[in-house]
């Protein structure tokens, strides 16, 4: 078994601590979801790297990544800060953190990219950071501005705040096609009925303002796919597979309607037959400096 270098040094957080947000993560914490997150991380790696570089993440910086999941953004930040910097990723899922720790060790980043388990509304590190970052996390928080305001208190004066979120309603295809339209509707309706935000990308300036932060710089970028070899079909189908328990719980869709086992292939056939361009939701990046 590979020696876990992280266990000695990660902040000690009780992995069984209760959460003040009783809502479950909409996509769950299954092995399939963790694989979907890794696929997502690979697909939008360059989009996120552009946001972090534009924000000013660079060598030697100390970075806190909130809602780190299986570690994609933390590992990306770790490459940017290098061995002279430090990255700490925090997530509420012990299972996701275990995956992130393994990936850090396998990539050789475990000496400066660490992970810990904690609830974001309780997490209180004993150090100050140069930056707080996150991707697709504010959309799941009950009060993202309040959480961001509290976390900004762990950033040095003049430090960086950088987040990347989706604008789900802007997903579309050309031409419009029945199966893709259903998938888009199932995803958005499930997220909305579960009481999460489907357009956090569009709300980022308001959230930053509510947190007492200066107006952020913004960018928007997205993924599009067509033809038989695009990974987008598997990504959409994987998202709905992870969402299915929540979709059924909130009455947005059923397993019989989705037929997730054949969904990717049916999406592929539809796209190829109609020469479609599928445009996934834009990822909106926002970054600013803390006052001081």
């Amino acid at each position: 078994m590979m020696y876990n270098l992280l266990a000695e040094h990660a902040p000690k957080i009780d992995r069984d601590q209760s959460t003040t947000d009783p809502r479950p993560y909409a996509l769950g914490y299954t092995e399939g979801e963790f694989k979907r997150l890794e696929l997502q991380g690979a697909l939008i790696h360059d989009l996120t790297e552009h946001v972090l570089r534009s924000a000013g993440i660079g060598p030697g910086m100390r970075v806190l990544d909130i809602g780190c999941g299986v570690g994609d953004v933390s590992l990306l930040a770790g490459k940017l800060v290098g061995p002279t910097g430090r990255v700490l990723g925090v997530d509420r899922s012990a299972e996701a953190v275990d995956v992130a720790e393994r990936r850090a060790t396998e990539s050789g980043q475990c000496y400066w990219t660490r992970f810990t388990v904690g609830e974001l509304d309780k997490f209180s590190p004993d150090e100050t950071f140069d930056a707080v970052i996150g991707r697709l996390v504010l959309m799941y928080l009950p009060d993202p501005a309040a959480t961001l305001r509290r976390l900004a208190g762990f950033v040095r004066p003049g430090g960086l705040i950088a987040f990347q979120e989706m604008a789900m309603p802007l997903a579309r295809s050309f031409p419009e096609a029945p199966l893709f339209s259903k998938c888009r509707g199932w995803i958005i309706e499930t997220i909305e009925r579960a009481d999460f935000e489907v357009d956090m990308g569009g709300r980022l300036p308001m959230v930053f303002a509510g947190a007492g932060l200066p107006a952020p710089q913004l960018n928007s970028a997205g993924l599009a796919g067509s033809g038989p070899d695009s990974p987008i079909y598997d990504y959409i189908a994987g998202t709905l597979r992870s969402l299915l328990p929540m979709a059924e719980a909130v009455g947005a869709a059923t397993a019989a309607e989705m037929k997730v086992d054949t969904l990717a292939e049916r999406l592929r056939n539809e796209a190829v037959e109609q020469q479609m361009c599928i445009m996934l939701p834009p990822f909106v990046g926002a970054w600013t400096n803390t006052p001081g």
Side-chain angles (χ1 to χ4, degrees), residues 119-230:
E119 292 294 340
L120 298 183
D121 52 2
K122 293 182 178 181
F123 181 69
S124 183
D126 56 2
E127 57 184 309
T128 300
F129 296 89
D130 298 305
V132 169
I133 64 175
R135 182 176 73 191
L136 303 182
V137 58
L138 298 178
M139 63 180 287
Y140 295 113
L141 300 180
D143 191 340
T147 299
L148 193 55
R149 185 186 308 115
R150 194 179 74 83
L151 292 170
F154 303 128
V155 179
R156 65 169 175 80
L160 300 173
I161 307 289
F163 283 82
Q164 189 178 44
E165 300 282 339
M166 275 194 289
M168 288 187 185
L170 298 182
R172 60 184 289 259
S173 72
F174 186 85
E176 286 288 337
L179 183 56
F180 174 77
S181 295
K182 285 183 180 179
C183 291
R184 176 183 179 275
W186 288 332
I187 292 170
I188 291 176
E189 189 171 359
T190 299
I191 296 296
E192 285 183 326
R193 291 193 183 189
D195 199 26
F196 299 116
E197 177 56 58
V198 299
D199 195 6
M200 184 55 72
R203 293 176 59 87
L204 281 171
M206 296 174 62
V207 171
F208 275 52
L213 296 169
Q217 297 185 61
L218 299 166
N219 79 353
S220 179
L223 297 174
S226 66
D229 300 323
S230 173

Side-chain angles (χ1 to χ4, degrees), residues 107-125:
S107 68
Q109 288 192 45
C110 57
Y111 294 100
W112 68 92
T113 304
R114 304 176 295 128
F115 299 92
T116 193
V117 179
E119 292 294 340
L120 298 183
D121 52 2
K122 293 182 178 181
F123 181 69
S124 183

Side-chain angles (χ1 to χ4, degrees), residues 12 68 72 102 119 132 171 201:
K12 302 303 180 184
C68 66
D72 288 285
R102 172 181 55 77
E119 292 294 340
V132 169

